[in-house]
């Protein structure tokens, strides 16, 4: 069990640029979640995959955001035309779906928009 | 809608003492799961303990225990024998089942714990 891996750990970019984050899940975990956490807040749900299917998206996920999980393995989260308000920690979590099993989180990608 | 409330923005505890972090929740679902996570300053979210709504006993994991009072809708985390490494943000979260069997977590605002030597 190598844990959930997220890359990059930090991303600094200018407003208006596109950014892409990657999440590699624990190998046997078929469920994958993206959350966003701003300063002083708890994480907020963005989107959910079961295998390769994206089954739910939050209203927080504007049309500038897109997420994929090809072949049900790693996932990417892309933000187009970044805005100041996109500055946050983006967290990926995965789980097996067992009734008492927790979501396991990666270290997150901290995005800063200049 | 489900909601998690953590009313303690910050807490202090002396090393080796016990501390209780409060969490209340609101849900109309009879079946739910409650989680506590620790988030150090480095940012990773670390799972600590889980309590299911039908569990008869309070959950325990090493120095962590959960004081689960279902009628009061509270799930307080107790950390015994605090260590300097326990200094971090602590989040209470509830699992909400949505579309496509989405088991997303609903989070509180967190409590910042500082352990004093």
């Amino acid at each position: 069990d190598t844990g959930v891996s997220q890359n990059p750990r930090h991303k600094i970019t200018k407003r208006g640029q596109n950014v892409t984050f990657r999440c590699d899940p624990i190998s046997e975990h078929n469920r994958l979640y993206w959350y966003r956490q701003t300063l002083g807040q708890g994480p907020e749900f963005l989107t959910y995959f079961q295998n390769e299917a994206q089954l739910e998206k939050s209203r927080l996920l504007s049309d500038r955001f897109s997420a994929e999980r090809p072949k049900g393995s790693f996932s990417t989260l892309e933000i187009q035309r970044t805005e100041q308000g996109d500055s946050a920690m983006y967290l990926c979590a995965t789980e097996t779906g067992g009734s008492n099993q927790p979501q396991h989180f990666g270290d997150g990608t901290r995005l800063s928009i200049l | 809608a489900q909601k998690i409330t953590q009313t303690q923005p910050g807490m202090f505890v002396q090393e080796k003492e016990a501390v209780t972090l409060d969490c209340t929740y609101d849900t109309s679902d009879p079946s739910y799961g409650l989680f506590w996570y620790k988030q150090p300053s480095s940012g990773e979210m670390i799972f600590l303990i889980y309590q299911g709504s039908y569990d008869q006993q309070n959950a325990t994991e090493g120095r962590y225990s959960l004081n689960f009072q279902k009628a009061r809708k509270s799930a307080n985390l107790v950390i015994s024998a605090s260590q300097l490494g326990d200094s971090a943000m602590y989040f209470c979260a509830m699992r909400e089942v949505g579309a496509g069997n989405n088991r997303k977590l609903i989070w509180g605002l967190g409590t910042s714990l500082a352990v004093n030597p």
Side-chain angles (χ1 to χ4, degrees):
Chain A
D1 181 353
T2 58
V4 179
S5 176
Q6 287 189 249
N7 288 288
R9 288 294 310 276
H10 303 276
K11 181 70 177 178
I12 302 172
T13 192
K14 293 182 179 179
R15 187 180 54 181
Q17 298 295 304
N18 298 344
V19 294
T20 300
F21 311 140
R22 176 176 170 127
C23 172
D24 287 273
I26 295 171
S27 58
E28 64 269 26
H29 288 189
N30 62 343
R31 296 163 180 258
L32 186 146
Y33 303 81
W34 285 98
Y35 294 87
R36 180 172 68 188
Q37 184 180 21
T38 53
L39 204 59
Q41 303 291 317
E44 296 173 296
F45 167 76
L46 291 180
T47 191
Y48 157 65
F49 290 85
Q50 185 166 342
N51 299 310
E52 68 276 8
Q54 186 177 22
L55 297 182
E56 187 169 351
K57 294 191 291 186
S58 163
R59 289 171 298 152
L60 294 174
L61 218 61
S62 76
D63 55 6
R64 297 184 298 105
F65 288 71
S66 62
E68 295 182 339
R69 192 182 182 197
K71 302 179 183 178
S73 56
F74 70 92
S75 176
T76 58
L77 178 67
E78 181 183 14
I79 309 174
Q80 297 182 327
R81 306 181 303 282
T82 51
E83 301 174 355
Q84 291 281 353
D86 296 333
S87 294
M89 174 77 91
Y90 290 83
L91 295 164
C92 175
T94 70
E95 65 170 2
T96 59
S99 61
N100 63 346
Q101 294 302 304
Q103 293 181 13
H104 296 266
F105 284 78
D107 290 344
T109 294
R110 191 175 298 276
L111 174 65
S112 298
I113 306 298
L114 301 177
Chain B
Q2 296 186 335
K3 185 179 179 181
I4 294 287
T5 303
Q6 293 181 257
T7 57
Q8 305 156 313
M11 290 283 286
F12 293 92
V13 65
Q14 207 65 30
E15 194 178 7
K16 299 181 184 178
E17 292 186 349
V19 62
T20 297
L21 306 183
D22 295 342
C23 172
T24 58
Y25 60 91
D26 191 18
T27 181
S28 56
D29 292 335
S31 177
Y32 51 88
L34 295 159
F35 300 81
W36 277 92
Y37 283 84
K38 172 184 177 181
Q39 189 176 41
S41 56
S42 49
E44 70 271 29
M45 198 68 80
I46 302 166
F47 166 70
L48 296 177
I49 196 167
Y50 166 81
Q51 181 81 45
S53 59
Y54 294 122
D55 293 344
Q56 295 297 312
Q57 294 187 328
N58 288 342
T60 60
E61 288 285 349
R63 294 187 299 111
Y64 305 108
S65 61
L66 208 150
N67 183 1
F68 181 47
Q69 297 188 44
K70 196 170 181 177
R72 299 178 64 178
K73 294 189 174 179
S74 73
N76 300 337
L77 177 70
V78 180
I79 305 174
S80 62
S82 296
Q83 302 173 355
L84 295 178
D86 294 335
S87 295
M89 284 292 291
Y90 288 81
F91 289 95
C92 180
M94 172 184 289
R95 175 183 288 149
E96 176 180 272
V97 181
N101 203 20
N102 173 4
R103 299 167 6 133
K104 63 187 175 187
L105 295 176
I106 307 300
W107 300 77
L109 292 178
T111 296
S112 177
L113 177 66
V115 180
N116 297 323

